[in-house]
Amino acid sequence: MNFASWPPLLVVDVEGNGANPPDLVEVAALPVGGGQPDTSTAGAWLTKPLHPVTPFAARVHGLTNERLAAEPSWEEIADQVHTLLGASWICAHNAHVDYRVLKAHLPKWEPAGVLDTLRLAKATYSGLAKYSLDALIKHVQPDLSAAPAQRHRATYDAYATAQILIAMAAHYDTWDQLVAAAVPPGLPGAPIPEEDPTLW
């Protein structure tokens, strides 16, 4: 894989307050360039949700209502998030969830395309019992020594997802092959199926 051929790409992860639909409590966006995550230009934001964090969600990511009480509202950081994301490609694990939540919070944002490491892993590592992020970390064994925070925080999960994406990309010769395997139907960047030629 020639990583120099990749368009601008950010691996994203979001954490929510446990409601449905969720309010955001954390967003991370980690650029990937030259086959490496670029933590020096990454963005990470904590935000106080409109509605309280549920006890279950707080147990998962550790972000309690008390911890978020002094953080800015979404309206205060939305423009910063939108500016960093721009029109780049994004990648996430089970990407339709992150895309849907971000799109609900940033209605005018539209990425060039959406890679899903869950979909890509099923194409790349057929036969695994599970394809959760934890299962892929165990299978791929990426170097996460430089990952910020801890599992289930957006910054850590984005870093882990980026390393897994880079590892899987080595199984593909071109960006277009990667896209064909990794973009879920109906999301931005999905290859348009060729129409069958007609007699006319």
Side-chain angles (χ1 to χ4, degrees):
M1 169 64 73
N2 175 17
F3 288 105
S5 68
W6 286 27
L9 170 74
L10 298 106
V11 177
V12 302
D13 189 74
V14 302
E15 301 297 336
N17 67 335
N20 187 20
D23 293 338
L24 286 172
V25 297
E26 187 176 29
V27 178
L30 176 61
V32 172
Q36 294 294 328
D38 182 6
T39 55
S40 69
T41 59
W45 299 268
L46 291 172
T47 177
K48 180 183 177 181
L50 286 172
H51 304 95
V53 178
T54 65
F56 175 79
R59 283 196 300 272
V60 171
H61 50 54
L63 295 170
T64 63
N65 292 302
E66 293 75 19
R67 172 68 181 82
L68 298 167
E71 297 297 337
S73 68
W74 176 251
E75 286 71 22
E76 292 176 82
I77 65 169
D79 286 348
Q80 297 174 41
V81 178
H82 195 170
T83 297
L84 182 60
L85 294 176
S88 299
W89 281 74
I90 65 164
C91 173
H93 194 70
N94 204 11
H96 72 278
V97 173
D98 298 78
Y99 171 72
R100 187 173 66 234
V101 173
L102 281 169
K103 185 69 174 170
H105 284 76
L106 297 170
K108 296 180 181 179
W109 166 68
E110 193 63 38
V114 180
L115 300 180
D116 181 7
T117 47
L118 174 61
R119 182 179 177 86
L120 183 61
K122 290 179 177 179
T124 309
Y125 305 127
S126 60
L128 294 187
K130 295 181 179 179
Y131 291 93
S132 66
L133 189 56
D134 284 325
L136 291 177
I137 289 171
K138 184 176 180 180
H139 180 73
V140 177
Q141 297 187 330
D143 179 3
L144 299 179
S145 59
Q150 69 277 345
R151 180 73 175 92
H152 297 298
R153 287 291 301 275
T155 48
Y156 184 102
D157 290 0
Y159 189 92
T161 300
Q163 296 288 24
I164 290 167
L165 170 66
I166 291 161
M168 289 192 291
H171 295 258
Y172 298 85
D173 293 330
T174 67
W175 168 258
D176 287 345
Q177 288 177 5
L178 189 73
V179 165
V183 180
L187 289 191
I192 300 172
E194 294 183 14
E195 295 184 4
D196 291 333
T198 67
L199 295 176
W200 314 105

PDB file of all heavy atoms in Angstrom, residues 1 6 63-64 68 75 100 112 118 125 130 137 143 157 162 165 188:
ATOM      1  N   MET A   1       0.850  -1.194   0.000  1.00  0.00           N
ATOM      2  CA  MET A   1       0.000   0.000   0.000  1.00  0.00           C
ATOM      3  C   MET A   1       0.888   1.247   0.000  1.00  0.00           C
ATOM      4  O   MET A   1       1.783   1.388   0.836  1.00  0.00           O
ATOM      5  CB  MET A   1      -0.904  -0.017   1.228  1.00  0.00           C
ATOM      6  CG  MET A   1      -1.649   1.274   1.490  1.00  0.00           C
ATOM      7  SD  MET A   1      -2.840   1.751   0.201  1.00  0.00           S
ATOM      8  CE  MET A   1      -4.151   0.563   0.504  1.00  0.00           C
ATOM      9  N   TRP A   6      -2.929   8.332  -0.192  1.00  0.00           N
ATOM     10  CA  TRP A   6      -4.168   8.523   0.565  1.00  0.00           C
ATOM     11  C   TRP A   6      -4.590   9.986   0.573  1.00  0.00           C
ATOM     12  O   TRP A   6      -3.749  10.881   0.707  1.00  0.00           O
ATOM     13  CB  TRP A   6      -3.975   8.068   2.008  1.00  0.00           C
ATOM     14  CG  TRP A   6      -3.925   6.592   2.213  1.00  0.00           C
ATOM     15  CD1 TRP A   6      -3.531   5.657   1.307  1.00  0.00           C
ATOM     16  CD2 TRP A   6      -4.258   5.881   3.397  1.00  0.00           C
ATOM     17  NE1 TRP A   6      -3.601   4.413   1.865  1.00  0.00           N
ATOM     18  CE2 TRP A   6      -4.039   4.519   3.140  1.00  0.00           C
ATOM     19  CE3 TRP A   6      -4.711   6.269   4.651  1.00  0.00           C
ATOM     20  CZ2 TRP A   6      -4.262   3.533   4.109  1.00  0.00           C
ATOM     21  CZ3 TRP A   6      -4.936   5.293   5.614  1.00  0.00           C
ATOM     22  CH2 TRP A   6      -4.722   3.940   5.341  1.00  0.00           C
ATOM     23  N   LEU A  63     -16.426   9.331  32.308  1.00  0.00           N
ATOM     24  CA  LEU A  63     -16.716  10.767  32.253  1.00  0.00           C
ATOM     25  C   LEU A  63     -18.031  11.027  32.970  1.00  0.00           C
ATOM     26  O   LEU A  63     -19.118  10.816  32.436  1.00  0.00           O
ATOM     27  CB  LEU A  63     -16.778  11.241  30.799  1.00  0.00           C
ATOM     28  CG  LEU A  63     -15.451  11.138  30.038  1.00  0.00           C
ATOM     29  CD1 LEU A  63     -15.658  11.401  28.551  1.00  0.00           C
ATOM     30  CD2 LEU A  63     -14.436  12.120  30.618  1.00  0.00           C
ATOM     31  N   THR A  64     -17.928  11.474  34.207  1.00  0.00           N
ATOM     32  CA  THR A  64     -19.098  11.709  35.043  1.00  0.00           C
ATOM     33  C   THR A  64     -19.634  13.128  34.837  1.00  0.00           C
ATOM     34  O   THR A  64     -18.965  13.993  34.260  1.00  0.00           O
ATOM     35  CB  THR A  64     -18.739  11.534  36.525  1.00  0.00           C
ATOM     36  OG1 THR A  64     -17.748  12.532  36.873  1.00  0.00           O
ATOM     37  CG2 THR A  64     -18.174  10.146  36.800  1.00  0.00           C
ATOM     38  N   LEU A  68     -17.539  16.698  33.901  1.00  0.00           N
ATOM     39  CA  LEU A  68     -17.867  17.501  32.715  1.00  0.00           C
ATOM     40  C   LEU A  68     -18.525  18.840  33.049  1.00  0.00           C
ATOM     41  O   LEU A  68     -18.781  19.634  32.146  1.00  0.00           O
ATOM     42  CB  LEU A  68     -18.792  16.702  31.788  1.00  0.00           C
ATOM     43  CG  LEU A  68     -18.203  15.399  31.225  1.00  0.00           C
ATOM     44  CD1 LEU A  68     -19.299  14.549  30.606  1.00  0.00           C
ATOM     45  CD2 LEU A  68     -17.117  15.700  30.199  1.00  0.00           C
ATOM     46  N   GLU A  75     -22.151  23.941  21.582  1.00  0.00           N
ATOM     47  CA  GLU A  75     -22.195  25.142  20.740  1.00  0.00           C
ATOM     48  C   GLU A  75     -20.867  25.902  20.785  1.00  0.00           C
ATOM     49  O   GLU A  75     -20.480  26.539  19.802  1.00  0.00           O
ATOM     50  CB  GLU A  75     -23.336  26.058  21.198  1.00  0.00           C
ATOM     51  CG  GLU A  75     -24.725  25.571  20.819  1.00  0.00           C
ATOM     52  CD  GLU A  75     -25.168  24.354  21.616  1.00  0.00           C
ATOM     53  OE1 GLU A  75     -24.623  24.130  22.721  1.00  0.00           O
ATOM     54  OE2 GLU A  75     -26.033  23.595  21.131  1.00  0.00           O
ATOM     55  N   ARG A 100     -23.194   9.077  12.186  1.00  0.00           N
ATOM     56  CA  ARG A 100     -24.571   9.527  12.434  1.00  0.00           C
ATOM     57  C   ARG A 100     -24.612  10.535  13.590  1.00  0.00           C
ATOM     58  O   ARG A 100     -25.291  11.562  13.499  1.00  0.00           O
ATOM     59  CB  ARG A 100     -25.454   8.318  12.746  1.00  0.00           C
ATOM     60  CG  ARG A 100     -26.935   8.649  12.857  1.00  0.00           C
ATOM     61  CD  ARG A 100     -27.775   7.391  12.997  1.00  0.00           C
ATOM     62  NE  ARG A 100     -27.484   6.712  14.257  1.00  0.00           N
ATOM     63  CZ  ARG A 100     -27.133   5.436  14.359  1.00  0.00           C
ATOM     64  NH1 ARG A 100     -27.011   4.688  13.280  1.00  0.00           N
ATOM     65  NH2 ARG A 100     -26.923   4.891  15.539  1.00  0.00           N
ATOM     66  N   ALA A 112     -15.593  13.550   2.885  1.00  0.00           N
ATOM     67  CA  ALA A 112     -15.410  13.006   1.536  1.00  0.00           C
ATOM     68  C   ALA A 112     -15.800  11.543   1.471  1.00  0.00           C
ATOM     69  O   ALA A 112     -16.273  11.045   0.445  1.00  0.00           O
ATOM     70  CB  ALA A 112     -13.959  13.185   1.102  1.00  0.00           C
ATOM     71  N   LEU A 118     -14.590  -1.882  11.254  1.00  0.00           N
ATOM     72  CA  LEU A 118     -15.343  -3.112  11.504  1.00  0.00           C
ATOM     73  C   LEU A 118     -15.607  -3.842  10.189  1.00  0.00           C
ATOM     74  O   LEU A 118     -15.337  -5.052  10.059  1.00  0.00           O
ATOM     75  CB  LEU A 118     -16.660  -2.789  12.215  1.00  0.00           C
ATOM     76  CG  LEU A 118     -17.626  -3.957  12.427  1.00  0.00           C
ATOM     77  CD1 LEU A 118     -17.003  -5.039  13.287  1.00  0.00           C
ATOM     78  CD2 LEU A 118     -18.930  -3.462  13.062  1.00  0.00           C
ATOM     79  N   TYR A 125      -9.750 -10.058   7.866  1.00  0.00           N
ATOM     80  CA  TYR A 125      -9.479 -11.150   8.806  1.00  0.00           C
ATOM     81  C   TYR A 125     -10.712 -12.040   8.913  1.00  0.00           C
ATOM     82  O   TYR A 125     -11.366 -12.096   9.952  1.00  0.00           O
ATOM     83  CB  TYR A 125      -9.117 -10.609  10.185  1.00  0.00           C
ATOM     84  CG  TYR A 125      -7.971  -9.628  10.227  1.00  0.00           C
ATOM     85  CD1 TYR A 125      -8.130  -8.388  10.828  1.00  0.00           C
ATOM     86  CD2 TYR A 125      -6.727  -9.938   9.678  1.00  0.00           C
ATOM     87  CE1 TYR A 125      -7.078  -7.477  10.883  1.00  0.00           C
ATOM     88  CE2 TYR A 125      -5.677  -9.042   9.725  1.00  0.00           C
ATOM     89  CZ  TYR A 125      -5.858  -7.807  10.328  1.00  0.00           C
ATOM     90  OH  TYR A 125      -4.818  -6.907  10.381  1.00  0.00           O
ATOM     91  N   LYS A 130     -14.890 -12.641  16.922  1.00  0.00           N
ATOM     92  CA  LYS A 130     -15.479 -11.336  17.175  1.00  0.00           C
ATOM     93  C   LYS A 130     -14.705 -10.271  16.420  1.00  0.00           C
ATOM     94  O   LYS A 130     -13.532 -10.467  16.093  1.00  0.00           O
ATOM     95  CB  LYS A 130     -15.457 -11.005  18.680  1.00  0.00           C
ATOM     96  CG  LYS A 130     -16.317 -11.907  19.541  1.00  0.00           C
ATOM     97  CD  LYS A 130     -16.228 -11.473  21.001  1.00  0.00           C
ATOM     98  CE  LYS A 130     -17.102 -12.340  21.902  1.00  0.00           C
ATOM     99  NZ  LYS A 130     -16.991 -11.932  23.324  1.00  0.00           N
ATOM    100  N   ILE A 137      -7.760  -5.449  18.712  1.00  0.00           N
ATOM    101  CA  ILE A 137      -6.530  -5.101  19.420  1.00  0.00           C
ATOM    102  C   ILE A 137      -5.786  -6.386  19.799  1.00  0.00           C
ATOM    103  O   ILE A 137      -4.564  -6.486  19.639  1.00  0.00           O
ATOM    104  CB  ILE A 137      -6.846  -4.244  20.663  1.00  0.00           C
ATOM    105  CG1 ILE A 137      -7.308  -2.843  20.238  1.00  0.00           C
ATOM    106  CG2 ILE A 137      -5.623  -4.148  21.577  1.00  0.00           C
ATOM    107  CD1 ILE A 137      -7.845  -1.999  21.382  1.00  0.00           C
ATOM    108  N   ASP A 143       1.023  -1.427  18.587  1.00  0.00           N
ATOM    109  CA  ASP A 143       1.756  -0.750  19.651  1.00  0.00           C
ATOM    110  C   ASP A 143       0.908   0.419  20.148  1.00  0.00           C
ATOM    111  O   ASP A 143       0.759   1.421  19.461  1.00  0.00           O
ATOM    112  CB  ASP A 143       3.107  -0.252  19.129  1.00  0.00           C
ATOM    113  CG  ASP A 143       3.908   0.485  20.203  1.00  0.00           C
ATOM    114  OD1 ASP A 143       3.441   0.549  21.366  1.00  0.00           O
ATOM    115  OD2 ASP A 143       4.991   1.009  19.875  1.00  0.00           O
ATOM    116  N   ASP A 157      -9.313   5.289  21.895  1.00  0.00           N
ATOM    117  CA  ASP A 157      -9.967   4.447  20.893  1.00  0.00           C
ATOM    118  C   ASP A 157      -9.648   4.906  19.472  1.00  0.00           C
ATOM    119  O   ASP A 157      -9.487   4.079  18.563  1.00  0.00           O
ATOM    120  CB  ASP A 157     -11.474   4.425  21.126  1.00  0.00           C
ATOM    121  CG  ASP A 157     -11.856   3.659  22.394  1.00  0.00           C
ATOM    122  OD1 ASP A 157     -10.943   3.154  23.082  1.00  0.00           O
ATOM    123  OD2 ASP A 157     -13.060   3.575  22.703  1.00  0.00           O
ATOM    124  N   ALA A 162      -6.743   3.809  14.575  1.00  0.00           N
ATOM    125  CA  ALA A 162      -5.788   4.234  13.544  1.00  0.00           C
ATOM    126  C   ALA A 162      -4.709   3.175  13.330  1.00  0.00           C
ATOM    127  O   ALA A 162      -4.359   2.848  12.189  1.00  0.00           O
ATOM    128  CB  ALA A 162      -5.147   5.566  13.939  1.00  0.00           C
ATOM    129  N   LEU A 165      -6.260   0.263  11.489  1.00  0.00           N
ATOM    130  CA  LEU A 165      -6.465   0.623  10.080  1.00  0.00           C
ATOM    131  C   LEU A 165      -5.165   0.495   9.297  1.00  0.00           C
ATOM    132  O   LEU A 165      -5.138  -0.085   8.196  1.00  0.00           O
ATOM    133  CB  LEU A 165      -6.999   2.050   9.977  1.00  0.00           C
ATOM    134  CG  LEU A 165      -7.027   2.656   8.562  1.00  0.00           C
ATOM    135  CD1 LEU A 165      -8.020   1.932   7.676  1.00  0.00           C
ATOM    136  CD2 LEU A 165      -7.333   4.150   8.621  1.00  0.00           C
ATOM    137  N   PRO A 188     -21.024   8.209   2.761  1.00  0.00           N
ATOM    138  CA  PRO A 188     -20.205   8.954   1.799  1.00  0.00           C
ATOM    139  C   PRO A 188     -18.953   8.172   1.395  1.00  0.00           C
ATOM    140  O   PRO A 188     -18.311   7.522   2.221  1.00  0.00           O
ATOM    141  CB  PRO A 188     -19.819  10.216   2.584  1.00  0.00           C
ATOM    142  CG  PRO A 188     -20.933  10.403   3.566  1.00  0.00           C
ATOM    143  CD  PRO A 188     -21.354   9.020   3.963  1.00  0.00           C
TER     144      PRO A 188
END
